[in-house]
Amino acid sequence: MARHKIVGISFDHMHMGDLLRAVSEHPDAEIAGIFDPDAARMQTAIDQFGIPEDRVHTDLEACLATTGADIAILCSATGAHADYVEKIAPHGLHILVEKPFAASVADARRMIAAMEGTDRRLAINWPVAWSPTHNTAKRLLDEGTIGRLTEVHYYGGNRGPLYHLADKVEVSPQEVEALKPTSWWYRKASGGGSLLDYLGYGVTFGTWFFRGEAPIEVTTVVDETPGIEVDQHSITVCRYAGGLSKFETRWGTFTDPWTLQPQPKSGFVMVGSDGTISSYDYDDFVTVQTRAEPAATRVAVAPLPEGRRGPIEYMLARIDDGAPITGALDPELCLIGQRIVDSAVLSAATRRTVGLVS
């Protein structure tokens, strides 16, 4: 018998398939149930993981009340995160929310508040949190390899959210165009757009790299495509006490970074008082410059330790050992990132620089 029973709530986000696969492969976990109001959206998971009919639900309360689960994976549209967390929390489940954190700071605070007093964990899953590359870069930063961090430069995106399904299964351009008119990804009210999809990555990890420091001001520009109500390209400049950092999001990269890195490359470049580090998605090395060694030098990435190699493994380990949720999964750190995202949305809407929203 698996010690942890996990339910998958909502199939709005294609990452649900990836997360359920991790559950099915973990020796201490089992898929206790799945929920989506549209039964058809669960069929692929039912077939792939052999989920019995009595564990498939189109009624949320029935799923939460009858499965005996202790953990919920939430993959709803961003705009529904807060509502779902408020419905799940009273049932006493730990909750792993697939990125981004929330559609707004207000919603993020609702999610944190819903879990207070429950003795249960809330964690935000950013897939790049499990990148050995970016974790190696963070270790080098913390070791003082490049001195005091002064700048973070981020470029993140893909060809578009409809070009791939779970397990990165490809979708044709013709299918993508047919899906756009009805997809939540392309609706403002549902939390669509490249800014909300990817800026959270950049600024949350930027906050992690900066050890929790928040910027003072935020300036953002987004593109405007006729017939598309959400942005597909955004550039955000954050002014910190020690300098400027830039975070760029893009739906429409030349290639998907997990298949073939586009140009610009997806990932991070950090500038410090005594050197620089580049850390690009999916590389098995980071590149370092220092005053002592100005020539760019590759540093091999270190593998992640057991209990820290993926979201399901990490969540189960923290529940079992009682240690806190840390780093980019910590809701309090993610809240700073969400404040930057909200500031970016406000800046883009008003076409001016804004102070960091509270």
Side-chain angles (χ1 to χ4, degrees):
M1 292 290 290
R3 291 188 298 109
H4 293 283
K5 295 185 175 183
I6 301 177
V7 290
I9 305 298
S10 179
F11 283 68
D12 283 338
H13 202 301
M14 77 288 291
H15 288 181
M16 177 61 86
D18 304 312
L19 292 165
L20 290 178
R21 181 176 302 285
V23 174
S24 71
E25 293 174 350
H26 197 289
D28 287 335
E30 68 173 293
I31 302 171
I34 55 175
F35 158 81
D36 194 276
D38 182 352
R41 297 204 299 180
M42 297 184 280
Q43 194 58 52
T44 298
I46 293 169
D47 295 340
Q48 285 184 337
F49 307 117
I51 301 173
E53 183 179 349
D54 63 353
R55 298 188 181 191
V56 179
H57 302 269
T58 55
D59 180 275
L60 178 62
E61 287 300 315
C63 179
L64 297 173
T66 64
T67 54
D70 59 328
I71 304 168
I73 298 169
L74 177 60
C75 284
S76 70
T78 308
H81 281 184
D83 287 343
Y84 271 113
V85 169
E86 288 177 338
K87 291 175 182 176
I88 297 168
H91 290 267
L93 279 68
H94 304 278
I95 305 176
L96 177 70
V97 178
E98 185 63 5
K99 66 86 190 173
F101 190 177
S104 67
V105 169
D107 278 6
R109 293 190 190 280
R110 284 172 57 195
M111 294 162 68
I112 292 172
M115 299 297 288
E116 287 178 352
T118 65
D119 194 32
R120 293 295 182 265
R121 307 298 186 81
L122 174 66
I124 315 304
N125 180 47
W126 305 92
V128 295
W130 318 111
S131 161
T133 315
H134 302 322
N135 279 274
T136 297
K138 171 63 171 171
R139 174 177 59 80
L140 294 172
L141 284 171
D142 289 348
E143 290 173 354
T145 302
I146 63 170
R148 178 177 57 85
L149 181 63
T150 59
E151 303 173 31
V152 173
H153 299 262
Y154 167 76
Y155 187 89
N158 55 43
R159 287 186 296 156
L162 301 179
Y163 277 91
H164 57 280
L165 306 175
D167 297 322
K168 305 304 185 191
V169 174
E170 296 255 341
V171 175
S172 73
Q174 295 77 18
E175 290 176 286
V176 168
E177 292 306 315
L179 289 168
K180 278 185 180 181
T182 58
S183 170
W184 75 267
W185 292 99
Y186 286 85
R187 294 178 180 172
K188 282 186 178 180
S190 297
S194 80
L195 188 156
L196 288 180
D197 187 23
Y198 269 96
L199 183 59
Y201 276 118
V203 297
T204 301
F205 277 75
T207 302
W208 186 43
F209 294 147
F210 273 119
R211 299 185 181 184
E213 180 182 352
I216 300 164
E217 292 180 338
V218 176
T219 307
T220 298
V221 178
V222 298
D223 73 328
E224 296 177 353
T225 303
I228 302 292
E229 67 175 68
V230 298
D231 72 277
Q232 298 178 94
H233 191 185
S234 77
I235 298 175
T236 295
V237 176
C238 292
R239 183 170 71 85
Y240 291 82
L244 302 178
S245 291
K246 179 174 71 69
F247 306 91
E248 186 168 357
T249 73
R250 185 72 171 105
W251 283 353
T253 56
F254 191 70
T255 53
D256 288 317
W258 50 82
T259 303
L260 182 64
Q261 268 282 18
Q263 294 189 109
K265 288 185 177 181
S266 294
F268 296 88
V269 176
M270 282 75 78
V271 178
S273 57
D274 296 310
T276 70
I277 300 172
S278 66
S279 178
Y280 293 113
D281 297 348
Y282 306 104
D283 277 351
D284 59 1
F285 62 91
V286 298
T287 304
V288 179
Q289 292 177 295
T290 64
R291 293 197 187 280
E293 199 63 53
T297 302
R298 288 188 175 186
V299 176
V301 305
L304 297 178
E306 186 176 354
R308 186 66 182 78
R309 298 171 298 187
I312 301 304
E313 179 181 281
Y314 178 82
M315 195 73 173
L316 270 56
R318 297 296 75 76
I319 292 169
D320 289 345
D321 65 19
I325 302 294
T326 61
L329 281 79
D330 177 3
E332 293 298 334
L333 185 140
C334 292
L335 182 60
I336 297 172
Q338 188 68 53
R339 292 171 63 198
I340 301 172
V341 171
D342 277 32
S343 302
V345 171
L346 177 61
S347 174
T350 59
R351 300 178 185 267
R352 62 181 177 86
T353 298
V354 302
L356 185 67
V357 303
S358 58

